[in-house]
Amino acid sequence: MDDILRQEERTVRSLRALYSRYGYRPYRMSKFEEYDLYVRNKAFLVSEHILTFTDTDGRLMALKPDVTLSIVKNTPDRLDGLQKVYYNENVYRTSPAAMGYREIMQTGLECIGDLDLYAMGEVVALAERSLAAISGTYLLDLSHMGIVSALLEGVDESWRGAILAEMGRKNVPAIRSLCAAAGAGAALTEKFCRLTLLYGPADAVLEPLEELAEGNAAGQALRELRQICRLLAAQGLGRSLRLDFSIVNDMNYYNGLIFRGYLPGLATGVLAGGRYDNLLCRMGKAGGAIGFAVYLDQLERLFPASDRFDGDTLLLYGPEDDPAAVAARAEELSRAGGTVRVERLAPEALRFRRVVRFGEEAGQ
């Protein structure tokens, strides 16, 4: 088993322990769901491509492309308090970086029910703690769709998706062109551009953001952002937090806080989450929902192939060596930690951190 797999396993164990400490309970699901669940909610999926098969009873089933839909589906229509769950599941979807379908390992959590400021802040704090558990260096980018949505109210609905897409690319010239085509005035266009380029620590961004957060909805969103930043600071967090309003997504899904987590050496985010009350409403559930997923498959890119090993220790013995003594030596090495493979001949295709010959140590 190579180092990458062990790194993923260590990360999963660490994250499970973290979420359990905050009262989140494990959620288990089948590898399959009825295809109808996903086809009716394609707008809430990362990829619209779904692997399907016909079950023995004739039902069309799907290999799950998403975990959140299953959790929401199995949430009671009305909750007393909050449902707090975490999961570690494989999903099956297409990836822009690879041809065809991939099996992607995810871990994450969902908080569903009567959300308040503390519940939202707890989820954002756990997102930051998750990044810290993986790497000592990270960034957590935070945005709020309430502020973006308030500006988008000033343009025709048919143009909103295109403007959002260009905000995500920080493409200011394209935003100006789209606003002109949509008939947005110069003042509104300038606000879109300024909001897109706003980036930095909370104490540097919140003040200029006040000039852009006009109206009741945007003002409420700004107050939420301020309070979330205060909650993080009260827990000794937030030093790696950045406010970034190019972090946008489909307004049909997210309706409030939205965030992304990044690690050095990875071009794409390793964590994604936000508030998604719209999905609950669509599925006939009351309350709000917020959560995030950590994409563990991204961790492979943190470790160059040359650094991978198939095991920690290779113990070699000869035909003259006593099998019982070899077994005792293997047990001693195993108790010292790490994996131990015992062979008479060194496997040519495998790499180990160290090689130990029975009765003597040798270098790699």
Side-chain angles (χ1 to χ4, degrees), residues 6 39 43 75-76 101 112 117 141 166 168 197 244 270 282 285 308 334 346:
R6 290 204 306 277
V39 76
T75 296
Y101 287 90
I112 301 173
L117 179 66
D141 286 355
E166 297 305 335
L197 295 177
D244 183 357
V270 73
R282 180 182 176 86
K285 314 288 182 177
R308 299 181 187 177
S334 179

Side-chain angles (χ1 to χ4, degrees), residues 258-271:
I258 184 171
F259 44 91
R260 296 287 184 272
Y262 300 91
L263 300 180
L266 296 180
T268 57
V270 73
L271 180 150

Side-chain angles (χ1 to χ4, degrees), residues 145 148 152-153 155-169 174-175 178 182 192 248-252:
M145 289 301 294
V148 180
L152 288 172
E153 287 293 327
V155 299
D156 186 87
E157 188 173 350
S158 60
W159 293 95
R160 294 174 189 175
I163 293 173
L164 270 179
E166 297 305 335
M167 289 180 70
R169 300 184 185 100
I175 292 170
L178 288 168
F192 274 118
V248 292
N249 211 313
D250 186 349
M251 289 191 300
N252 290 325

Side-chain angles (χ1 to χ4, degrees), residues 167-337:
M167 289 180 70
R169 300 184 185 100
K170 290 186 180 286
N171 190 341
V172 170
I175 292 170
R176 292 188 186 280
S177 296
L178 288 168
C179 285
L188 180 58
T189 299
E190 188 60 28
K191 287 181 179 180
F192 274 118
C193 296
R194 288 177 60 196
L195 186 64
T196 299
L197 295 177
L198 269 183
Y199 178 83
D203 56 2
V205 172
L206 286 172
E207 185 174 344
L209 189 58
E210 288 183 359
E211 301 174 14
L212 304 175
E214 296 181 354
N216 293 334
Q220 175 60 30
L222 177 57
R223 286 190 291 274
E224 273 191 10
L225 276 178
R226 285 189 180 278
Q227 291 166 327
I228 293 298
C229 292
R230 288 183 60 238
L231 276 172
L232 294 176
Q235 300 171 72
L237 302 171
R239 287 184 291 275
S240 295
L241 179 75
R242 300 293 182 268
L243 298 186
D244 183 357
F245 290 89
S246 71
I247 302 295
V248 292
N249 211 313
D250 186 349
M251 289 191 300
N252 290 325
Y253 195 137
Y254 290 110
N255 63 294
L257 294 169
I258 184 171
F259 44 91
R260 296 287 184 272
Y262 300 91
L263 300 180
L266 296 180
T268 57
V270 73
L271 180 150
R275 183 160 180 173
Y276 55 94
D277 299 2
N278 295 337
L279 177 57
L280 262 71
C281 182
R282 180 182 176 86
M283 298 183 74
K285 314 288 182 177
I290 186 171
F292 62 83
V294 180
Y295 302 106
L296 297 174
D297 61 304
Q298 296 286 340
L299 300 184
E300 297 178 8
R301 304 180 188 181
L302 291 178
F303 303 93
S306 59
D307 292 340
R308 299 181 187 177
F309 293 90
D310 298 285
D312 296 308
T313 302
L314 173 64
L315 174 61
L316 295 175
Y317 65 94
E320 72 284 354
D321 293 321
D322 176 16
V326 173
R329 177 63 173 141
E331 181 64 20
E332 178 186 350
L333 291 168
S334 179
R335 286 197 302 269

